[in-house]
Amino acid sequence: MRPRSSWWWSMMAVVVAMCVGRSASAFSFADVVEKARALAGQPFHDTKERVPQWMLDMTYDQWRDIRFRPEQSLWRKENLPFEIQFFHLGLYYPRPVSINVVDRGQVEHVRFSPALFDYGKNTFAEQIPDDIGFAGFRVHYPIKTPTYKDEVIVFLGASYFRALGRDQIYGLSARGLAIDTVEPEGEEFPYFIEFWLVRPEPTATHLVIYALMDSSSVSGAYQFRVTPGVETRVDVEAHLFFRKNVKKLGLAPLTSMFFHGENTTRCFNDFRPEVHDSDGLLLFSRSGEWLWRPLDNPEHIHVSAFQLDDPRGFGLLQRDRDFEHYQDLEARSELRPSAWQELYGNWGAGAVELIELPTDSDIHDNIVAYWRPRESPRQGDRKDLRYTIYWYGDDPTRPPGGRVVATRQERTKEGAQRFVVDFAGDELRKLDAGNPPEAVLTVASGPESGEIDEHHVVKNPVNGSWRVGLQVLPRSKRPVELRAFLRRGKDVLTETWSYTYLP
C-alpha cells in the first residue's frame, strides 16, 4: 500500500479541526437552557416597552385586517413539508417575539418587515418600526392531503400555544407555565420572548422548536417536538430557573371554555343546548385509577384540588361529539380537540388543580387545569420536566374501560339534589340488563357534609349504556364531594365519576 504523504495528513488535520470547530459552535437546545439560566440571574426586563403605544391602541378590526402574505411563508420556496407564517404585533399582543432558524447548527435571525403583511384598509404600514419583531407564528403541514398544508399549531400570546389533529378546529389552549392563578395579588403571565425553528429535512414528519420564556419570577427553556397527524403529538421538555420565590406554581397548564352544558343549572338566554370547548377533566393516578370531573360554569370561583402524587397524566377533554347537542353551525363545538398530557419522570408530591370561573359569555376561557407541586419553588431553584400533549378527537384507550358520557341533575324535594350519571363502553354494553353491576358511591367530603339516601342502576335499552341515579341530602352549606364507579365483584368496570355539589 502506498504511504500517505505529509501533505495529505496535514490536509486531513485541517478538515478535522474545521469539523470540530463547527460541532463546538453548533447551536442546540443546550444553548437555550444556558440562556434561560443566565437570564434568571439578571433583573427582569419587560419587552412590552419596545412597542409604540399607538400599536397597542389599535382596534380589533384594525388588527384583524393585518394578514400575513402566504407566499412569504418560511420554507415555502424550498418546498419543505413544514411552513411557517407569522403574526403581527398590536392590540392583545403587546410583546415582540424574536424568531430564528437553526440550519445545521447555525442560527439565522428572521427579520420582521411590513412587506410580509397585507395591511388591508389600514394606512399605518409605513409607521411600523423596522425589525420590531413578531407577535407569534403558526405551523402548517399537509395533515389531510399531500397537496395542501393545513395549520397544525399556533404560538401566540404570553406562553400560550394550541394545536389540533386531523379533522378538528381550534379549541382549548396549553401554556408554558401558570403562576399565582386566581390569587388575590393577581396572576403573573410568563411569556415566550424568543424562538428557534429547527429547519426540517425534506422528508421530515416532525418539527423541533426551541423557546426562551421569561417573567418577573422565572425564566425557562422549552423544546417542542411537533408531530402532526390524526392525533397530533407535542413532546415538551422544559427547564425552569427561578429568580424569586413563587407562591403558586402551575405546571403543564391547560385553558379552555365552558359556558353551559347538560349538567348546568344556571339559566342562559341561548338557543344552543350546550356551549363548551371541553366538558371534563380526566386524571390518571399511579394507582391505576382514572377519574372524570365534569366541568361547569359556577356562580362563584370554584377551585378543586385532586391530590395526585407523581401523576401519570391529566387533560381537558371534549367527549361529546354529537352535533345535535350543540346546534352551532359556526363554532362546531363537536370538532374541538381534547388535550391529554402524559407525564414522564417523578413529578413528586402535589395535586392537579382545576379552576372554574363564572362567565356570562362564550368568548372567555374560564377553565384552567394544571399540576401544582406541594413545595413552592424558591429563589435560585431549578425544575426540569418532560411531558407529551396529545391533541385528538376521541380515544377509547383514555380510559381503557367504561367512561362517563353524561351528567345531569335536578332539585327534588326541599334540600335534596338528584344526579343522573350515564356510563358507556363496549364491555358495559355486553352486560345483561337483568344482572346490573354494582354502583360504588361515596361522599368523599365526609358524612358531616351530606349523605346519599337512595340510588339505582339501570341499563339504557336504547344505546346500551348504564345509568346511575342517586339522591344527595346535604347536612350543611359545605360542598358535598361525590364519587361513583361501577364494578362487578372485584373488577372495576369504569372510571370514577367525581362531582362537587354546592348546596
Side-chain angles (χ1 to χ4, degrees):
M1 180 181 294
R2 184 179 178 182
R4 305 288 189 185
S5 67
S6 59
W7 174 87
W8 187 90
W9 287 113
S10 298
M11 289 300 298
M12 287 301 298
V14 171
V15 170
V16 170
M18 291 176 62
C19 291
V20 170
R22 281 199 196 99
S23 176
S25 63
F27 189 88
S28 69
F29 182 51
D31 294 282
V32 184
V33 176
E34 178 56 28
K35 285 178 178 288
R37 187 200 62 76
L39 193 61
Q42 303 170 8
F44 170 67
H45 176 68
D46 194 338
T47 59
K48 182 179 178 180
E49 300 173 0
R50 292 172 46 193
V51 182
Q53 186 62 42
W54 69 265
M55 290 182 63
L56 306 182
D57 292 337
M58 69 174 66
T59 66
Y60 175 71
D61 288 336
Q62 286 177 314
W63 185 84
R64 188 178 59 175
D65 210 22
I66 306 173
R67 296 179 175 86
F68 185 81
R69 299 181 186 275
E71 66 273 14
Q72 299 288 344
S73 298
L74 181 66
W75 299 324
R76 172 167 289 198
K77 294 179 182 178
E78 292 93 328
N79 197 30
L80 295 180
F82 290 89
E83 292 182 3
I84 309 296
Q85 297 185 10
F86 303 101
F87 291 99
H88 202 285
L89 285 164
L91 191 61
Y92 304 130
Y93 309 106
R95 293 182 173 88
V97 173
S98 178
I99 298 179
N100 312 278
V101 170
V102 181
D103 188 355
R104 295 175 177 84
Q106 302 305 304
V107 177
E108 181 179 354
H109 178 61
V110 180
R111 289 186 60 84
F112 168 87
S113 171
L116 297 174
F117 295 89
D118 179 351
Y119 286 82
K121 298 178 182 178
N122 295 311
T123 59
F124 48 67
E126 294 182 357
Q127 303 176 46
I128 305 295
D130 292 336
D131 201 23
I132 191 173
F134 302 97
F137 65 93
R138 59 192 176 209
V139 178
H140 293 248
Y141 180 83
I143 197 172
K144 296 179 183 177
T145 169
T147 59
Y148 183 79
K149 293 183 175 67
D150 296 278
E151 195 172 329
V152 294
I153 191 169
V154 169
F155 290 83
L156 180 64
S159 65
Y160 285 89
F161 60 97
R162 55 180 182 168
L164 40 74
R166 195 187 69 191
D167 303 322
Q168 295 161 23
I169 61 176
Y170 282 123
L172 80 167
S173 301
R175 277 195 276 170
L177 205 61
I179 295 179
D180 293 342
T181 307
V182 301
E183 287 297 303
E185 300 83 1
E187 184 169 1
E188 177 181 321
F189 287 90
Y191 57 95
F192 293 127
I193 61 174
E194 190 166 8
F195 289 95
W196 292 263
L197 311 172
V198 180
R199 187 182 190 275
E201 296 296 327
T203 58
T205 57
H206 70 269
L207 179 68
V208 175
I209 301 167
Y210 308 144
L212 180 64
M213 188 188 69
D214 200 19
S215 77
S216 62
S217 298
V218 61
S219 65
Y222 284 74
Q223 177 178 262
F224 302 94
R225 181 185 172 103
V226 182
T227 307
V230 175
E231 177 180 84
T232 290
R233 171 175 178 154
V234 180
D235 297 299
V236 183
E237 179 181 345
H239 304 273
L240 306 174
F241 302 87
F242 295 88
R243 59 164 58 92
K244 67 179 186 180
N245 300 344
V246 171
K247 180 179 180 181
K248 183 165 75 169
L249 179 67
L251 299 176
L254 297 171
T255 301
S256 191
M257 180 274 293
F258 187 98
F259 186 25
H260 59 87
E262 61 210 1
N263 57 307
T264 303
T265 56
R266 296 174 64 194
C267 295
F268 299 97
N269 185 24
D270 196 324
F271 78 92
R272 300 167 294 182
E274 299 183 40
V275 183
H276 48 74
D277 287 343
S278 306
D279 54 10
L281 170 69
L282 182 64
L283 309 171
F284 187 28
S285 71
R286 286 287 171 185
S287 67
E289 180 186 31
W290 293 84
L291 185 144
W292 174 257
R293 166 60 68 92
L295 302 178
D296 204 355
N297 180 2
E299 294 186 13
H300 307 284
I301 296 176
H302 187 216
V303 180
S304 305
F306 304 87
Q307 298 300 320
L308 282 180
D309 291 351
D310 192 18
R312 299 179 66 177
F314 69 95
L316 291 176
L317 275 56
Q318 182 78 314
R319 277 190 174 168
D320 194 335
R321 298 290 170 182
D322 191 338
F323 170 80
E324 299 297 332
H325 295 175
Y326 301 101
Q327 292 293 325
D328 195 328
L329 295 174
E330 296 180 2
R332 298 303 303 273
S333 298
E334 78 280 4
L335 300 179
R336 303 298 170 116
S338 296
W340 172 253
Q341 303 189 125
E342 184 176 345
L343 312 181
Y344 308 122
N346 187 350
W347 286 51
V352 172
E353 196 163 274
L354 171 67
I355 298 174
E356 298 166 292
L357 303 171
T359 183
D360 58 2
S361 171
D362 61 350
I363 65 172
H364 302 124
D365 281 348
N366 62 319
I367 303 296
V368 186
Y370 48 76
W371 191 80
R372 179 182 180 181
R374 183 175 300 169
E375 297 295 330
S376 297
R378 312 291 293 177
Q379 181 181 6
D381 285 355
R382 171 175 175 168
K383 182 171 286 292
D384 305 317
L385 57 149
R386 292 191 310 111
Y387 58 100
T388 295
I389 312 177
Y390 298 92
W391 307 78
Y392 61 98
D394 193 21
D395 185 350
T397 68
R398 301 183 184 115
R403 63 180 64 184
V404 177
V405 294
T407 299
R408 300 177 177 88
Q409 58 179 310
E410 67 173 356
R411 181 64 56 89
T412 55
K413 57 188 177 181
E414 185 176 356
Q417 192 80 357
R418 174 176 294 159
F419 289 89
V420 177
V421 184
D422 291 340
F423 291 87
D426 292 340
E427 295 303 316
L428 291 178
R429 191 176 297 110
K430 299 175 184 177
L431 299 180
D432 182 14
N435 186 19
E438 175 191 3
V440 181
L441 311 174
T442 56
V443 178
S445 51
E448 65 278 2
S449 64
E451 65 174 330
I452 299 172
D453 72 336
E454 63 178 61
H455 77 276
H456 66 272
V457 182
V458 61
K459 188 170 187 178
N460 186 331
V462 178
N463 57 25
S465 66
W466 286 86
R467 175 163 293 182
V468 176
L470 60 144
Q471 183 165 279
V472 180
L473 292 175
R475 294 187 179 276
S476 66
K477 294 297 183 180
R478 294 176 52 190
V480 184
E481 294 287 344
L482 303 169
R483 291 166 63 95
F485 64 90
L486 296 178
R487 72 181 177 191
R488 173 63 59 81
K490 296 183 179 180
D491 295 330
V492 175
L493 304 178
T494 68
E495 65 190 7
T496 300
W497 171 79
S498 169
Y499 205 87
T500 301
Y501 170 50
L502 303 173

